[in-house]
Amino acid sequence: MVRRISLAHGEGGELTHQLIQHLFIQSFGHQDQTQFDSAILQGPFENIAVTTDSFVVNPIFFPGGDIGKLAVTGTINDLAVSGAIPEVLTAGFIIEEGFPLPDLKKVVHSMAAEAEHAGVKVVAGDTKVVEKGSVDGLFINTTGIGRITGEHQLKPETIREGDAVMISGTIGDHGVSIMSARQELGLLNEVQSDCASLNHMIHKLMQEVKGIRIMRDPTRGGLATTLVELCEEFHCTVEVDELAIPIRDAVHGACDILGFDPLYLANEGKLVLIVDRASQQQALNLLNKHPLGTEAKVIGQVTAQGNTAGKLHVRTPIGTTRRLHRLSGMLLPRIC
Amino acid sequence: MVRRISLAHGEGGELTHQLIQHLFIQSFGHQDQTQFDSAILQGPFENIAVTTDSFVVNPIFFPGGDIGKLAVTGTINDLAVSGAIPEVLTAGFIIEEGFPLPDLKKVVHSMAAEAEHAGVKVVAGDTKVVEKGSVDGLFINTTGIGRITGEHQLKPETIREGDAVMISGTIGDHGVSIMSARQELGLLNEVQSDCASLNHMIHKLMQEVKGIRIMRDPTRGGLATTLVELCEEFHCTVEVDELAIPIRDAVHGACDILGFDPLYLANEGKLVLIVDRASQQQALNLLNKHPLGTEAKVIGQVTAQGNTAGKLHVRTPIGTTRRLHRLSGMLLPRIC
């Protein structure tokens, strides 16, 4: 029996799943809120979506971004993939005594710039400072609120056999950029984090493409864990083609050296979506025209629907098929 | 020139004020949001209030509460004193590797119980786990969303000379309970934290009493800092009578031993309000009838209004008057 929290409880994989199911959902009782990355509110706040995320990435500056940009994009993306238009954010800072003020300024300016770029407002904040050694530098919580409009209704219950599974670009970039920033790869690697706000691209997609069943951003736990969760939640089987998944050579290289599987590496600016086969080409064209979707690809399809146990299969380059599970154990702590 | 963040930047006093004014408000640009403890949203979210708070209290269990209860009451109170009806919360957990699971359960159950008691729902959550030594145990961010209804309009611009300044009960209890839990007082002290959700009491007050100008909860920085902020913001002078302020003997005793001023100690279940003199008695009666307001008192009055530099004065027991400023420097880190 688990008596202590381990790093794996925060990796977005199996143990995180168990903690959420057995402690948080049981205590706070909102089983119905698990369909999307944001909670879709009811009653007085109908058509409002809310999501929260704490960012503990180490180091706080990395190729392609920093903890501030990440804190904005991460929360914006959770709203956007839930079909909401992100409108406002709150920002809570926990800062270690002695933290350099110029670094804090850099991070805050980076947040402000990304928020402006994405068209959201940071409306409330909080600052706590703790003694040296009680926190590693700087942690940021962002909570986001978005609007669900008529055109933004996702219908995961309409997922059916033959639907296309798509990814908006290369996977694993964020994971490798963090490893690289930690100098675990020496000077070998120049991969930038993909850290980006997807809301404008998603908004366009949802306005123009009618057959989008569900969207997710494959962050902690990577593409594989995200797809396993979708399969389990919506009782479908998905088969992806390993060779169709866009992966940079540098990411492949880093994974080969370190023994990681890019399918489980975190992404911070990628969109996975399941689309009606009839809309697949339209969605792909639209994504490819957007700067954040130039390398979007169809990577697989829904091969069965309605079976109680959802499964993710991957077709390997040698033609065999294997089943993938959610991330289990520890991969990369403090990736976001 | 300050180059590094100090503990005093998080104490809710002068340095916190400067950090908010010179970095956060300049970067995120919402000067207009400083009137209340919550941001009152505009546009698509009209009449919605939002607030965020991170809790880093040390120790996490203390007489009268724990970090979970505090995280719920703190955010609920920030909404309630802004005139909003708290409806939903999000909860972000940052947990140290090795943290005991039974303690996490205790904290989560305490949050759930307090949320239920206060009538709010925890709708979204996030869990991050960091390596041993990267965070001291457990930090929690809660962000709250509330509704502003017609009857909940506060009108600080109507503050005028002669208005009554009231407090809903004894001050300094939370501060002393935390010092006591840190064993800085040995076994001498049995003061419980006043940590409580004020929303039901405030709702009743706002429904029945018409002349409420403004409300605040005097947390970090204590009653004095809260009143200084009100005076500065609304350009009024307040004079409070030191002898009228309810303070427990045990709190007085602890302050005498440790050299603290109870006026600067944190409270987590107290309400300060400025009320039209004509409504003073009605407000007092209503508060005194509520379990959280039995010791409510009128502690002073607005002695001038409209002057540009707001000031707080206190009449001392020997009949002299001195000016109080906001908390400056470090008092008690990690009080909430």
Side-chain angles (χ1 to χ4, degrees):
Chain A
M1 193 190 147
V2 178
R3 291 284 299 174
R4 291 186 178 272
I5 294 292
S6 68
L7 286 171
H9 280 105
E11 286 273 312
E14 185 57 36
L15 280 174
T16 309
H17 177 72
Q18 286 179 16
L19 194 64
I20 292 171
Q21 291 296 324
H22 299 151
L23 179 57
F24 295 116
I25 290 186
Q26 272 190 20
S27 303
F28 298 132
H30 42 84
Q31 193 72 52
D32 51 317
Q33 298 288 5
T34 54
Q35 279 204 333
F36 303 106
D37 279 358
S38 310
I40 313 293
L41 303 184
Q42 307 295 331
F45 298 140
E46 211 184 329
N47 291 323
I48 291 182
V50 182
T51 189
T52 190
D53 224 335
S54 297
F55 295 85
V56 298
V57 65
N58 173 29
I60 61 169
F61 299 103
F62 49 82
D66 59 45
I67 190 172
K69 182 179 180 188
L70 189 62
V72 172
T73 60
T75 292
I76 284 177
N77 292 345
D78 279 346
L79 288 171
V81 296
S82 306
I85 299 178
E87 296 278 355
V88 301
L89 293 182
T90 63
F93 297 85
I94 301 175
I95 313 173
E96 185 179 19
E97 177 188 16
F99 189 82
L101 195 55
D103 284 358
L104 182 62
K105 284 185 179 167
K106 212 168 144 187
V107 166
V108 170
H109 292 158
S110 165
M111 291 182 81
E114 185 61 30
E116 196 183 346
H117 172 73
V120 303
K121 282 196 177 126
V122 181
V123 294
D126 175 59
T127 311
K128 291 290 179 331
V129 181
V130 297
E131 321 89 299
K132 209 162 178 55
S134 289
V135 75
D136 184 16
L138 173 65
F139 294 166
I140 302 176
N141 174 284
T142 46
T143 300
I145 309 180
R147 253 179 327 125
I148 310 267
T149 65
E151 70 209 0
H152 277 67
Q153 302 293 343
L154 291 168
K155 297 204 174 54
E157 66 279 8
T158 60
I159 291 175
R160 67 175 72 112
E161 206 182 310
D163 281 354
V165 177
M166 305 172 69
I167 181 95
S168 64
T170 56
I171 63 165
D173 298 6
H174 179 72
V176 170
S177 86
I178 295 296
M179 287 192 280
S180 155
R182 286 183 197 160
Q183 303 195 297
E184 288 172 15
L185 301 173
L187 292 172
L188 280 172
N189 213 289
E190 289 297 315
V191 177
Q192 302 256 318
S193 167
D194 56 351
C195 169
S197 297
L198 298 168
N199 58 322
H200 295 315
M201 183 174 81
I202 289 175
H203 185 57
K204 223 174 152 49
L205 203 60
M206 296 216 62
Q207 277 187 311
E208 300 192 13
V209 181
K210 294 295 159 218
I212 299 171
R213 317 289 197 196
I214 190 82
M215 300 184 290
R216 285 283 159 94
D217 58 332
T219 55
R220 277 188 294 182
L223 178 62
T225 303
T226 300
L227 284 175
V228 168
E229 279 172 1
L230 284 179
C231 290
E232 289 184 3
E233 215 167 309
F234 304 112
H235 310 291
C236 59
T237 304
V238 161
E239 185 174 300
V240 294
D241 179 359
E242 202 172 323
L243 284 177
I245 301 170
I247 303 174
R248 288 183 205 286
D249 288 344
V251 170
H252 264 311
C255 284
D256 285 348
I257 294 167
L258 296 167
F260 286 126
D261 183 341
L263 285 166
Y264 290 94
L265 284 182
N267 309 278
E268 292 291 345
K270 291 298 164 354
L271 176 68
V272 190
L273 56 168
I274 298 181
V275 187
D276 176 6
R277 185 157 31 178
S279 305
Q280 161 185 330
Q281 197 54 46
Q282 190 199 4
L284 195 62
N285 292 347
L286 191 148
L287 286 171
N288 286 157
K289 267 186 235 151
H290 193 279
L292 294 175
T294 51
E295 296 180 87
K297 294 273 184 309
V298 175
I299 57 169
Q301 59 178 326
V302 176
T303 56
Q305 205 281 325
N307 41 347
T308 46
K311 287 179 197 165
L312 173 65
H313 291 130
V314 60
R315 205 168 335 114
T316 68
I318 54 165
T320 57
T321 298
R322 66 189 168 104
R323 183 173 173 190
L324 295 180
H325 297 270
R326 54 161 59 77
L327 176 64
S328 117
M330 205 196 70
L331 185 61
L332 273 175
R334 298 181 60 188
I335 197 74
C336 62
Chain B
M1 193 189 144
V2 178
R3 291 286 299 172
R4 291 186 178 273
I5 293 293
S6 68
L7 286 173
H9 279 106
E11 287 274 311
E14 186 57 36
L15 280 173
T16 308
H17 177 72
Q18 286 179 18
L19 194 65
I20 292 171
Q21 290 297 321
H22 300 150
L23 179 56
F24 295 116
I25 290 185
Q26 273 191 21
S27 302
F28 299 133
H30 41 87
Q31 193 73 50
D32 51 317
Q33 297 288 4
T34 54
Q35 279 204 333
F36 303 106
D37 279 358
S38 310
I40 313 292
L41 303 184
Q42 307 294 330
F45 297 140
E46 211 184 328
N47 290 325
I48 290 181
V50 182
T51 190
T52 190
D53 224 334
S54 297
F55 295 85
V56 298
V57 65
N58 173 30
I60 60 170
F61 299 103
F62 49 83
D66 59 46
I67 190 173
K69 183 179 179 189
L70 189 62
V72 171
T73 61
T75 292
I76 283 176
N77 292 346
D78 278 347
L79 288 171
V81 296
S82 304
I85 298 177
E87 296 277 356
V88 301
L89 294 181
T90 62
F93 297 84
I94 302 176
I95 313 171
E96 185 179 21
E97 177 188 13
F99 188 82
L101 194 57
D103 284 359
L104 181 62
K105 284 186 179 167
K106 212 168 142 186
V107 167
V108 170
H109 291 158
S110 163
M111 292 183 79
E114 185 61 29
E116 196 184 345
H117 172 73
V120 304
K121 283 195 176 129
V122 181
V123 295
D126 176 56
T127 310
K128 291 289 178 335
V129 181
V130 298
E131 321 88 299
K132 207 159 180 57
S134 288
V135 76
D136 183 16
L138 171 67
F139 294 167
I140 301 175
N141 174 284
T142 45
T143 300
I145 310 180
R147 256 179 323 127
I148 310 268
T149 64
E151 70 208 4
H152 278 66
Q153 302 293 342
L154 292 168
K155 297 203 175 55
E157 66 279 7
T158 62
I159 290 175
R160 68 176 72 111
E161 206 183 309
D163 282 353
V165 178
M166 304 170 70
I167 180 94
S168 64
T170 56
I171 63 165
D173 299 3
H174 180 72
V176 170
S177 86
I178 296 296
M179 288 193 278
S180 155
R182 287 183 197 160
Q183 303 195 297
E184 287 171 15
L185 300 174
L187 292 172
L188 279 173
N189 213 289
E190 290 297 315
V191 177
Q192 300 258 317
S193 166
D194 57 350
C195 168
S197 296
L198 298 168
N199 58 322
H200 295 315
M201 183 174 78
I202 291 175
H203 185 56
K204 221 172 154 51
L205 203 60
M206 298 217 61
Q207 276 187 312
E208 301 192 10
V209 182
K210 293 297 161 220
I212 300 170
R213 318 290 196 195
I214 189 82
M215 299 183 291
R216 283 285 159 93
D217 58 331
T219 56
R220 277 189 293 181
L223 178 63
T225 304
T226 299
L227 284 174
V228 168
E229 279 172 2
L230 284 179
C231 290
E232 289 185 1
E233 216 167 309
F234 303 113
H235 310 291
C236 58
T237 304
V238 162
E239 185 175 300
V240 294
D241 179 358
E242 203 172 320
L243 284 177
I245 301 170
I247 304 175
R248 288 183 205 285
D249 288 343
V251 169
H252 263 311
C255 284
D256 286 348
I257 294 168
L258 296 165
F260 285 125
D261 184 341
L263 286 166
Y264 290 94
L265 285 183
N267 310 280
E268 292 291 344
K270 291 298 164 353
L271 175 68
V272 190
L273 57 168
I274 298 182
V275 186
D276 177 6
R277 188 160 24 180
S279 306
Q280 165 186 324
Q281 197 54 48
Q282 190 198 4
L284 195 62
N285 291 347
L286 193 147
L287 285 172
N288 286 157
K289 266 185 237 150
H290 193 280
L292 294 175
T294 51
E295 296 179 87
K297 295 271 183 310
V298 175
I299 57 169
Q301 58 178 327
V302 176
T303 55
Q305 205 281 326
N307 42 346
T308 46
K311 285 179 199 164
L312 173 64
H313 292 130
V314 61
R315 206 169 334 116
T316 67
I318 54 166
T320 59
T321 297
R322 66 189 168 104
R323 183 173 173 191
L324 295 181
H325 296 271
R326 55 162 57 78
L327 177 65
S328 119
M330 204 194 73
L331 184 62
L332 272 175
R334 297 181 61 189
I335 196 74
C336 60

